[in-house]
Amino acid sequence: MVRTKLILSFTVIVAALLTIGYFGRTTINSLIGSIQEESKPNLRLEAIRDIQSDLIVAENSVRTYTITKDADDLTDYYRKMALFDAKMEYLYALSVDSMRISDVEEIGILIDQKLEILNELIYLNEDDRINLVLQKLIEELDEMKTYEKGS
């Protein structure tokens, strides 16, 4: 009888230890999984920061132009402006599977408004040298496209 109680007690203790071990392992694996998920880079955030950085460069370029009236100062503005559509498409692609698509659309609207304002500033300060800079940039972009197609 004592032997049966001892075996039964031992079995219960082993079962309890196995259960505690199982739940402990599950919890640890869950924690590790969440830590790994949090440590992944947030590509949407990086894309937004990249767009923000380009907007700052473009805005500074226009500000410099309004002060100096040197059309060469708009080179960065036009280069960055040419990249906005591709960068927004990338941001949309990153956001397709999330509920943040409306946020991306709002960002796109705000960027368009910002670019309209910057274009108006350029127009108000425009002279013929801008057309020369634009022509030079168009040629550079055409060369880049030709080079990319050739690769």
Side-chain angles (χ1 to χ4, degrees), residues 44 94-102 104:
R44 277 193 307 263
L94 291 173
S95 302
V96 167
D97 62 340
S98 74
M99 301 300 287
R100 305 220 182 254
I101 197 75
S102 62
V104 174

Side-chain angles (χ1 to χ4, degrees), residues 21-72:
Y22 171 77
F23 285 118
R25 183 171 183 240
T26 304
T27 303
I28 288 173
N29 285 339
S30 175
L31 285 172
I32 290 171
S34 66
I35 290 170
Q36 287 174 339
E37 187 65 32
E38 290 297 321
S39 67
K40 289 181 183 176
N42 187 337
L43 296 178
R44 277 193 307 263
L45 183 59
E46 288 179 18
I48 291 170
R49 285 183 180 156
D50 189 36
I51 291 169
Q52 179 187 22
S53 172
D54 287 351
L55 276 172
I56 290 169
V57 169
E59 186 176 354
N60 287 339
S61 177
V62 172
R63 284 182 184 167
T64 303
Y65 168 72
T66 60
I67 294 169
T68 66
K69 305 291 189 226
D70 184 3
D72 289 333

Side-chain angles (χ1 to χ4, degrees), residues 123-138:
Y123 178 74
L124 291 172
N125 293 288
E126 191 173 66
D127 69 30
D128 292 334
R129 291 177 289 176
I130 291 177
N131 294 327
L132 294 173
V133 171
L134 283 175
Q135 186 60 37
K136 189 166 109 177
L137 283 170
I138 290 170

Side-chain angles (χ1 to χ4, degrees), residues 11-24:
T11 305
V12 169
I13 291 172
V14 169
L17 287 174
L18 287 173
T19 304
I20 291 170
Y22 171 77
F23 285 118

